[in-house]
Amino acid sequence: MSIFERPNYQGGESEAKRALDLEARLPMTGWQQEVDQALRFGLEAADSIKDRTISTFSRGELPHYAGINTFMKAPYLEDVNQVGNYDVAIVGVPHDSGTTYRPGTRFGPQGIRRISALYTPYNFELGIDLREQITLCDVGDIFTIPANNEKSFDQISKGIAHIFASGAFPIILGGDHSIGYPTVRGVCRHLGDKKVGIIHFDRHVDTQETDLDERMHTCPWFHATNIKNAPAKNLVQLGIGGWQVPRQGVKVCRERATNILTVTDITEIGLDAAVDFALERALDGTDCVYISFDIDCIDAGFVPGTGWPEPGGLLPREALYLLSRIIRQAPICGLEVVEVSPPYDISDMTSLMATRVICDAMANLVLSGQLPRREKPSYIHEEAQIFEDGWS
Protein backbone atom coordinates (compact mmCIF):
# COMPACT_ATOMS: atom_id res chain seq x y z
CA MET A 1 0.00 0.00 0.00
CA SER A 2 1.30 3.43 -0.88
CA ILE A 3 2.32 5.60 2.05
CA PHE A 4 -0.03 8.24 0.66
CA GLU A 5 -3.15 6.06 0.44
CA ARG A 6 -5.69 6.09 3.22
CA PRO A 7 -5.65 2.82 5.17
CA ASN A 8 -8.86 0.82 5.11
CA TYR A 9 -9.46 0.35 8.81
CA GLN A 10 -12.46 -1.91 8.13
CA GLY A 11 -10.50 -4.70 6.51
CA GLY A 12 -7.13 -3.40 5.43
CA GLU A 13 -3.84 -2.65 7.12
CA SER A 14 -3.45 0.49 9.23
CA GLU A 15 -0.39 2.69 8.97
CA ALA A 16 0.62 1.69 12.49
CA LYS A 17 0.45 -2.03 11.69
CA ARG A 18 2.44 -1.49 8.53
CA ALA A 19 5.03 0.53 10.50
CA LEU A 20 5.43 -2.27 13.03
CA ASP A 21 6.05 -4.77 10.24
CA LEU A 22 8.55 -2.49 8.48
CA GLU A 23 10.63 -2.00 11.62
CA ALA A 24 11.07 -5.76 11.96
CA ARG A 25 12.81 -5.81 8.56
CA LEU A 26 15.33 -3.07 9.34
CA PRO A 27 18.90 -4.16 10.14
CA MET A 28 20.80 -3.11 13.26
CA THR A 29 24.20 -3.04 11.59
CA GLY A 30 24.72 0.72 11.76
CA TRP A 31 23.64 0.88 15.38
CA GLN A 32 26.09 -1.89 16.33
CA GLN A 33 28.91 -0.20 14.45
CA GLU A 34 28.22 3.02 16.32
CA VAL A 35 28.26 1.23 19.69
CA ASP A 36 31.50 -0.59 18.84
CA GLN A 37 33.16 2.62 17.73
CA ALA A 38 32.01 4.49 20.84
CA LEU A 39 33.55 1.83 23.06
CA ARG A 40 36.75 1.83 21.02
CA PHE A 41 37.16 5.61 20.94
CA GLY A 42 35.41 6.57 24.19
CA LEU A 43 36.51 3.82 26.61
CA GLU A 44 34.35 1.20 28.25
CA ALA A 45 32.02 2.48 30.97
CA ALA A 46 32.75 2.43 34.69
CA ASP A 47 32.30 -0.93 36.39
CA SER A 48 29.06 0.18 38.06
CA ILE A 49 27.33 0.61 34.65
CA LYS A 50 25.32 -2.51 33.82
CA ASP A 51 24.60 -1.58 30.18
CA ARG A 52 27.94 -2.36 28.56
CA THR A 53 26.98 -0.59 25.32
CA ILE A 54 27.54 2.70 27.19
CA SER A 55 30.99 4.28 26.88
CA THR A 56 32.81 6.60 29.28
CA PHE A 57 32.91 9.48 26.80
CA SER A 58 29.80 10.19 24.73
CA ARG A 59 30.58 9.22 21.13
CA GLY A 60 27.21 8.43 19.57
CA GLU A 61 23.52 9.24 19.57
CA LEU A 62 23.08 9.04 23.34
CA PRO A 63 22.63 10.93 25.53
CA HIS A 64 20.88 13.42 23.27
CA TYR A 65 22.04 16.41 25.34
CA ALA A 66 25.74 15.49 25.13
CA GLY A 67 28.29 15.57 22.36
CA ILE A 68 29.38 17.98 19.63
CA ASN A 69 26.65 19.66 17.59
CA THR A 70 26.83 18.21 14.12
CA PHE A 71 23.53 17.55 12.35
CA MET A 72 21.97 14.52 14.06
CA LYS A 73 25.45 13.81 15.45
CA ALA A 74 26.65 12.78 12.00
CA PRO A 75 30.43 12.44 11.61
CA TYR A 76 32.18 15.77 11.17
CA LEU A 77 34.12 15.65 7.92
CA GLU A 78 37.07 17.97 8.37
CA ASP A 79 38.62 17.02 5.02
CA VAL A 80 36.01 18.11 2.46
CA ASN A 81 38.03 16.41 -0.26
CA GLN A 82 36.53 13.15 1.05
CA VAL A 83 32.89 14.28 0.80
CA GLY A 84 32.21 12.06 -2.21
CA ASN A 85 32.54 9.02 0.06
CA TYR A 86 29.16 9.88 1.63
CA ASP A 87 25.61 9.74 0.31
CA VAL A 88 24.55 13.03 1.95
CA ALA A 89 26.55 16.06 3.05
CA ILE A 90 25.12 18.62 5.47
CA VAL A 91 26.64 22.07 5.01
CA GLY A 92 25.89 25.25 6.94
CA VAL A 93 25.74 28.70 5.34
CA PRO A 94 25.73 31.14 8.30
CA HIS A 95 24.98 34.21 6.23
CA ASP A 96 22.46 36.96 7.01
CA SER A 97 24.00 39.99 5.34
CA GLY A 98 21.18 39.78 2.80
CA THR A 99 18.58 40.40 5.48
CA THR A 100 16.52 43.57 5.06
CA TYR A 101 14.83 43.72 8.47
CA ARG A 102 15.43 41.15 11.24
CA PRO A 103 18.95 39.64 11.26
CA GLY A 104 19.81 36.43 13.06
CA THR A 105 19.73 33.71 10.40
CA ARG A 106 23.52 33.48 10.54
CA PHE A 107 22.80 31.44 13.67
CA GLY A 108 20.41 29.15 11.76
CA PRO A 109 22.93 26.34 11.15
CA GLN A 110 23.89 26.34 14.84
CA GLY A 111 20.27 26.27 15.96
CA ILE A 112 19.27 23.49 13.59
CA ARG A 113 22.27 21.34 14.47
CA ARG A 114 21.72 21.77 18.20
CA ILE A 115 18.07 20.72 18.27
CA SER A 116 18.67 17.97 15.70
CA ALA A 117 20.30 16.01 18.53
CA LEU A 118 16.76 15.44 19.80
CA TYR A 119 16.02 13.24 16.78
CA THR A 120 16.88 9.60 16.21
CA PRO A 121 17.64 8.35 12.68
CA TYR A 122 14.48 6.18 12.71
CA ASN A 123 11.00 7.23 11.57
CA PHE A 124 8.12 5.02 12.72
CA GLU A 125 5.52 5.73 10.03
CA LEU A 126 7.94 5.56 7.10
CA GLY A 127 9.85 2.54 8.36
CA ILE A 128 13.15 4.26 7.61
CA ASP A 129 16.35 4.18 9.68
CA LEU A 130 18.79 6.64 8.11
CA ARG A 131 21.68 5.22 10.11
CA GLU A 132 21.11 1.83 8.48
CA GLN A 133 20.27 2.97 4.97
CA ILE A 134 22.55 5.90 4.03
CA THR A 135 25.88 7.45 4.96
CA LEU A 136 25.64 11.00 6.27
CA CYS A 137 28.33 13.53 7.11
CA ASP A 138 28.46 17.14 8.27
CA VAL A 139 31.13 19.20 6.50
CA GLY A 140 30.66 22.22 8.74
CA ASP A 141 30.06 25.74 7.45
CA ILE A 142 30.96 27.79 4.42
CA PHE A 143 33.30 30.65 5.39
CA THR A 144 31.04 33.59 4.55
CA ILE A 145 32.21 37.20 4.63
CA PRO A 146 30.21 39.45 7.00
CA ALA A 147 28.70 42.55 5.37
CA ASN A 148 29.73 41.44 1.86
CA ASN A 149 27.07 39.54 -0.03
CA GLU A 150 29.00 39.16 -3.28
CA LYS A 151 32.15 37.67 -1.74
CA SER A 152 29.95 35.41 0.38
CA PHE A 153 28.04 34.35 -2.75
CA ASP A 154 31.32 33.39 -4.43
CA GLN A 155 32.31 31.30 -1.40
CA ILE A 156 28.89 29.62 -1.31
CA SER A 157 28.87 28.79 -5.01
CA LYS A 158 32.35 27.28 -4.83
CA GLY A 159 31.48 25.17 -1.77
CA ILE A 160 28.18 23.87 -3.14
CA ALA A 161 29.73 23.15 -6.54
CA HIS A 162 32.40 21.05 -4.81
CA ILE A 163 29.86 18.97 -2.87
CA PHE A 164 27.51 18.60 -5.85
CA ALA A 165 30.29 17.52 -8.23
CA SER A 166 31.49 14.89 -5.73
CA GLY A 167 28.21 12.99 -6.04
CA ALA A 168 27.18 13.58 -2.42
CA PHE A 169 23.65 14.95 -2.06
CA PRO A 170 23.93 18.52 -0.70
CA ILE A 171 21.63 19.67 2.12
CA ILE A 172 22.18 23.31 2.99
CA LEU A 173 21.34 24.91 6.34
CA GLY A 174 20.74 28.66 5.92
CA GLY A 175 21.23 31.45 6.33
CA ASP A 176 18.90 34.03 4.80
CA HIS A 177 17.28 33.42 1.42
CA SER A 178 19.83 35.45 -0.51
CA ILE A 179 21.86 32.22 -0.52
CA GLY A 180 19.33 30.68 -2.93
CA TYR A 181 21.08 32.34 -5.85
CA PRO A 182 24.67 31.22 -5.12
CA THR A 183 23.56 27.69 -4.13
CA VAL A 184 21.73 27.21 -7.44
CA ARG A 185 24.68 28.81 -9.25
CA GLY A 186 26.95 26.24 -7.58
CA VAL A 187 24.74 23.39 -8.78
CA CYS A 188 24.54 24.84 -12.30
CA ARG A 189 28.33 24.97 -12.58
CA HIS A 190 28.30 21.19 -12.91
CA LEU A 191 25.20 20.67 -15.05
CA GLY A 192 26.88 21.12 -18.42
CA ASP A 193 24.00 21.51 -20.87
CA LYS A 194 21.45 20.00 -18.45
CA LYS A 195 18.71 22.06 -16.81
CA VAL A 196 17.29 22.30 -13.30
CA GLY A 197 13.79 23.19 -12.15
CA ILE A 198 13.40 25.06 -8.87
CA ILE A 199 10.56 24.33 -6.44
CA HIS A 200 10.41 27.15 -3.94
CA PHE A 201 8.36 26.91 -0.72
CA ASP A 202 7.78 30.42 0.63
CA ARG A 203 5.33 33.17 1.50
CA HIS A 204 7.37 35.66 -0.56
CA VAL A 205 8.26 35.62 -4.26
CA ASP A 206 11.91 36.74 -3.82
CA THR A 207 12.16 37.80 -7.46
CA GLN A 208 13.30 41.43 -7.25
CA GLU A 209 16.47 42.38 -9.10
CA THR A 210 17.76 44.39 -6.14
CA ASP A 211 16.55 45.52 -2.74
CA LEU A 212 18.17 48.47 -0.99
CA ASP A 213 20.47 48.59 -4.04
CA GLU A 214 21.93 45.10 -3.41
CA ARG A 215 21.09 41.44 -4.10
CA MET A 216 19.33 40.68 -0.85
CA HIS A 217 17.16 37.85 0.47
CA THR A 218 14.27 39.19 -1.60
CA CYS A 219 16.21 38.66 -4.84
CA PRO A 220 17.57 35.10 -5.34
CA TRP A 221 15.24 33.90 -8.10
CA PHE A 222 15.66 36.94 -10.35
CA HIS A 223 19.35 36.09 -10.62
CA ALA A 224 19.11 32.29 -10.48
CA THR A 225 16.72 32.26 -13.43
CA ASN A 226 19.18 34.40 -15.41
CA ILE A 227 21.39 31.28 -15.54
CA LYS A 228 20.75 29.31 -18.74
CA ASN A 229 20.53 26.05 -16.76
CA ALA A 230 17.67 27.33 -14.55
CA PRO A 231 14.89 28.71 -16.81
CA ALA A 232 12.25 30.94 -15.24
CA LYS A 233 9.47 28.77 -16.73
CA ASN A 234 10.66 25.97 -14.42
CA LEU A 235 10.47 28.06 -11.23
CA VAL A 236 7.51 26.91 -9.11
CA GLN A 237 6.58 28.87 -5.98
CA LEU A 238 4.29 27.30 -3.38
CA GLY A 239 2.55 29.17 -0.56
CA ILE A 240 3.01 32.75 -1.78
CA GLY A 241 0.78 35.42 -0.26
CA GLY A 242 0.09 37.92 2.47
CA TRP A 243 1.26 41.48 3.06
CA GLN A 244 4.96 41.07 2.39
CA VAL A 245 5.11 40.39 -1.36
CA PRO A 246 6.73 43.44 -3.02
CA ARG A 247 5.15 44.55 -6.27
CA GLN A 248 8.58 44.81 -7.92
CA GLY A 249 8.92 41.06 -7.52
CA VAL A 250 5.37 40.36 -8.67
CA LYS A 251 6.09 42.27 -11.88
CA VAL A 252 9.09 40.03 -12.56
CA CYS A 253 6.99 36.89 -11.98
CA ARG A 254 4.45 38.16 -14.49
CA GLU A 255 7.09 39.10 -17.07
CA ARG A 256 9.02 35.84 -16.76
CA ALA A 257 5.89 33.64 -16.49
CA THR A 258 6.95 31.83 -13.34
CA ASN A 259 4.48 29.48 -11.63
CA ILE A 260 2.78 30.46 -8.38
CA LEU A 261 0.28 28.76 -6.08
CA THR A 262 -1.01 30.61 -3.02
CA VAL A 263 -2.02 28.80 0.14
CA THR A 264 -5.64 29.24 -0.90
CA ASP A 265 -4.88 27.74 -4.31
CA ILE A 266 -3.27 24.74 -2.65
CA THR A 267 -6.09 24.13 -0.21
CA GLU A 268 -8.80 24.59 -2.86
CA ILE A 269 -7.33 22.33 -5.54
CA GLY A 270 -5.97 19.88 -2.97
CA LEU A 271 -2.48 18.84 -1.99
CA ASP A 272 -2.13 16.15 -4.65
CA ALA A 273 -3.19 18.51 -7.44
CA ALA A 274 -0.71 21.09 -6.15
CA VAL A 275 2.06 18.50 -6.33
CA ASP A 276 1.04 17.62 -9.89
CA PHE A 277 1.10 21.32 -10.81
CA ALA A 278 4.57 21.77 -9.32
CA LEU A 279 6.07 18.69 -10.95
CA GLU A 280 4.56 19.31 -14.37
CA ARG A 281 6.14 22.75 -14.53
CA ALA A 282 9.41 22.13 -12.71
CA LEU A 283 10.16 19.04 -14.82
CA ASP A 284 9.16 20.53 -18.18
CA GLY A 285 12.37 20.11 -20.17
CA THR A 286 14.62 19.81 -17.12
CA ASP A 287 16.80 17.00 -15.83
CA CYS A 288 16.54 17.50 -12.06
CA VAL A 289 14.83 19.61 -9.39
CA TYR A 290 16.33 21.79 -6.67
CA ILE A 291 14.19 22.44 -3.59
CA SER A 292 14.45 25.72 -1.71
CA PHE A 293 12.42 25.53 1.50
CA ASP A 294 11.93 28.84 3.27
CA ILE A 295 10.72 27.99 6.77
CA ASP A 296 8.33 30.98 6.71
CA CYS A 297 6.13 29.15 4.16
CA ILE A 298 4.64 27.58 7.28
CA ASP A 299 2.16 29.62 9.29
CA ALA A 300 3.95 32.00 11.67
CA GLY A 301 2.25 30.45 14.70
CA PHE A 302 4.35 27.32 14.15
CA VAL A 303 7.64 28.98 13.17
CA PRO A 304 8.17 32.22 15.13
CA GLY A 305 11.95 32.09 14.70
CA THR A 306 12.24 33.62 11.26
CA GLY A 307 13.05 37.00 9.83
CA TRP A 308 9.76 37.56 7.97
CA PRO A 309 6.95 35.69 9.80
CA GLU A 310 3.66 35.83 7.89
CA PRO A 311 0.37 34.48 9.31
CA GLY A 312 -1.81 32.40 7.04
CA GLY A 313 0.87 30.06 5.72
CA LEU A 314 0.83 26.31 5.23
CA LEU A 315 0.20 23.99 8.14
CA PRO A 316 3.21 21.80 9.01
CA ARG A 317 1.43 18.62 7.88
CA GLU A 318 0.53 20.25 4.57
CA ALA A 319 4.10 21.42 3.93
CA LEU A 320 5.58 18.04 4.85
CA TYR A 321 3.07 16.21 2.66
CA LEU A 322 3.81 18.42 -0.34
CA LEU A 323 7.55 18.02 0.18
CA SER A 324 7.33 14.25 0.54
CA ARG A 325 5.17 13.79 -2.55
CA ILE A 326 7.45 15.99 -4.67
CA ILE A 327 10.59 14.14 -3.60
CA ARG A 328 8.98 10.75 -4.21
CA GLN A 329 8.18 11.68 -7.82
CA ALA A 330 11.09 13.84 -9.06
CA PRO A 331 14.88 13.55 -9.42
CA ILE A 332 16.05 15.88 -6.65
CA CYS A 333 19.57 17.34 -6.91
CA GLY A 334 19.73 19.35 -3.68
CA LEU A 335 17.81 20.90 -0.79
CA GLU A 336 18.22 24.10 1.18
CA VAL A 337 16.31 25.16 4.29
CA VAL A 338 16.57 28.88 4.92
CA GLU A 339 15.42 31.78 7.11
CA VAL A 340 15.65 30.00 10.48
CA SER A 341 16.50 32.76 12.96
CA PRO A 342 17.16 31.34 16.45
CA PRO A 343 17.25 34.74 18.23
CA TYR A 344 13.50 35.02 17.51
CA ASP A 345 12.66 31.38 18.16
CA ILE A 346 10.59 29.98 21.03
CA SER A 347 11.50 26.59 22.53
CA ASP A 348 13.47 25.76 19.36
CA MET A 349 10.17 25.29 17.48
CA THR A 350 11.45 26.73 14.21
CA SER A 351 14.79 24.92 14.26
CA LEU A 352 12.98 21.68 15.04
CA MET A 353 10.65 22.24 12.09
CA ALA A 354 13.68 22.71 9.86
CA THR A 355 15.16 19.48 11.20
CA ARG A 356 11.90 17.68 10.43
CA VAL A 357 11.93 19.00 6.85
CA ILE A 358 15.47 17.73 6.33
CA CYS A 359 14.90 14.32 7.90
CA ASP A 360 11.66 13.77 5.96
CA ALA A 361 13.48 14.77 2.78
CA MET A 362 16.24 12.22 3.36
CA ALA A 363 13.72 9.51 4.19
CA ASN A 364 11.75 10.11 1.02
CA LEU A 365 14.93 10.16 -1.04
CA VAL A 366 15.55 6.65 0.33
CA LEU A 367 11.98 5.51 -0.31
CA SER A 368 12.13 6.78 -3.90
CA GLY A 369 15.40 4.97 -4.55
CA GLN A 370 17.42 8.17 -5.00
CA LEU A 371 19.55 7.35 -1.96
CA PRO A 372 21.90 5.71 -1.42
CA ARG A 373 23.59 6.67 -4.67
CA ARG A 374 25.39 3.79 -6.37
CA GLU A 375 26.76 6.12 -9.02
CA LYS A 376 26.68 9.82 -9.78
CA PRO A 377 23.47 11.01 -11.45
CA SER A 378 23.88 11.54 -15.18
CA TYR A 379 23.12 15.26 -14.87
CA ILE A 380 26.35 15.92 -12.93
CA HIS A 381 29.04 17.20 -15.31
CA GLU A 382 32.65 16.79 -14.22
CA GLU A 383 33.93 20.06 -15.64
CA ALA A 384 32.87 23.32 -14.02
CA GLN A 385 31.56 26.31 -15.92
CA ILE A 386 31.84 29.77 -14.39
CA PHE A 387 29.04 32.25 -15.03
CA GLU A 388 29.67 35.93 -15.64
CA ASP A 389 26.67 37.94 -14.54
CA GLY A 390 28.11 41.43 -14.28
CA TRP A 391 28.27 41.38 -10.47
CA SER A 392 31.73 39.86 -10.05
Side-chain angles (χ1 to χ4, degrees):
M1 182 183 68
S2 167
I3 192 74
F4 298 108
E5 293 175 2
R6 291 180 180 272
N8 180 357
Y9 294 108
Q10 300 302 316
E13 185 180 64
S14 70
E15 183 182 52
K17 174 62 168 63
R18 176 177 170 277
L20 291 168
D21 294 340
L22 285 172
E23 191 280 330
R25 303 175 207 165
L26 289 170
M28 296 290 287
T29 308
W31 178 85
Q32 189 60 55
Q33 289 174 344
E34 184 176 290
V35 169
D36 293 344
Q37 179 172 290
L39 293 173
R40 190 167 65 252
F41 293 167
L43 307 182
E44 291 188 0
D47 292 343
S48 60
I49 305 298
K50 294 181 180 179
D51 182 351
R52 302 313 293 175
T53 66
I54 293 174
S55 54
T56 298
F57 293 87
S58 175
R59 288 293 182 270
E61 177 189 331
L62 299 175
H64 292 289
Y65 51 79
I68 305 301
N69 286 325
T70 60
F71 186 81
M72 290 183 69
K73 298 192 176 179
Y76 170 55
L77 186 65
E78 188 168 15
D79 183 359
V80 296
N81 295 295
Q82 304 302 315
V83 69
N85 296 327
Y86 293 84
D87 296 314
V88 178
I90 303 291
V91 56
V93 181
H95 176 77
D96 63 5
S97 297
T99 302
T100 55
Y101 183 49
R102 300 205 304 185
T105 54
R106 69 178 61 187
F107 301 111
Q110 284 184 4
I112 295 169
R113 285 186 176 109
R114 183 171 55 79
I115 199 61
S116 74
L118 181 65
Y119 269 26
T120 75
Y122 166 65
N123 180 280
F124 176 66
E125 301 101 312
L126 298 179
I128 290 292
D129 190 328
L130 298 173
R131 177 169 39 199
E132 304 295 337
Q133 292 165 288
I134 62 171
T135 55
L136 172 68
C137 71
D138 191 324
V139 300
D141 292 342
I142 301 287
F143 194 140
T144 57
I145 311 301
N148 194 311
N149 283 341
E150 299 306 321
K151 289 182 179 180
S152 293
F153 290 174
D154 290 344
Q155 289 279 88
I156 295 164
S157 291
K158 183 175 181 179
I160 300 308
H162 174 79
I163 295 169
F164 180 75
S166 78
F169 185 90
I171 295 181
I172 298 108
L173 315 179
D176 69 51
H177 217 156
S178 69
I179 74 170
Y181 165 58
T183 55
V184 169
R185 184 174 65 176
V187 167
C188 289
R189 284 183 178 176
H190 286 279
L191 285 182
D193 61 356
K194 306 296 185 183
K195 290 184 169 55
V196 60
I198 301 168
I199 295 183
H200 166 220
F201 289 78
D202 207 331
R203 293 290 278 151
H204 317 107
V205 291
D206 293 348
T207 48
Q208 295 174 232
E209 181 175 6
T210 60
D211 194 348
L212 306 178
D213 207 42
E214 297 288 339
R215 297 199 282 193
M216 306 295 275
H217 68 163
T218 52
C219 307
W221 310 127
F222 180 96
H223 301 283
T225 57
N226 278 341
I227 301 172
K228 64 180 181 179
N229 304 89
K233 75 181 183 71
N234 301 119
L235 171 62
V236 180
Q237 301 177 283
L238 302 177
I240 306 302
W243 293 92
Q244 300 164 356
V245 183
R247 291 183 62 185
Q248 302 96 309
V250 174
K251 181 174 182 287
V252 171
C253 293
R254 187 168 57 249
E255 292 172 345
R256 296 193 178 186
T258 64
N259 308 279
I260 296 175
L261 289 181
T262 67
V263 173
T264 300
D265 288 332
I266 292 169
T267 56
E268 287 190 350
I269 68 174
L271 299 178
D272 291 326
V275 169
D276 293 342
F277 172 94
L279 293 175
E280 178 184 349
R281 286 153 179 80
L283 291 171
D284 181 15
T286 64
D287 303 275
C288 55
V289 171
Y290 183 82
I291 297 177
S292 181
F293 195 101
D294 189 325
I295 205 71
D296 70 33
C297 74
I298 295 172
D299 185 271
F302 298 95
V303 289
T306 184
W308 285 92
E310 173 63 33
L314 295 165
L315 298 176
R317 281 181 294 185
E318 293 171 340
L320 292 172
Y321 183 87
L322 292 168
L323 180 73
S324 298
R325 282 289 313 277
I326 287 167
I327 291 173
R328 294 281 286 270
Q329 297 183 59
I332 308 300
C333 65
L335 166 72
E336 65 186 15
V337 181
V338 299
E339 295 290 349
V340 173
S341 187
Y344 290 97
D345 210 358
I346 300 170
S347 300
D348 299 305
M349 291 167 55
T350 312
S351 293
L352 186 60
M353 189 70 235
T355 301
R356 178 64 191 264
V357 166
I358 294 164
C359 290
D360 276 28
M362 288 191 289
N364 283 283
L365 286 165
V366 172
L367 288 170
S368 63
Q370 298 183 68
L371 290 178
R373 286 177 168 174
R374 291 162 181 83
E375 58 184 8
K376 289 185 185 181
S378 59
Y379 51 74
I380 298 179
H381 197 276
E382 293 294 333
E383 296 181 11
Q385 51 184 332
I386 306 299
F387 304 100
E388 300 294 338
D389 57 13
W391 288 77
S392 299

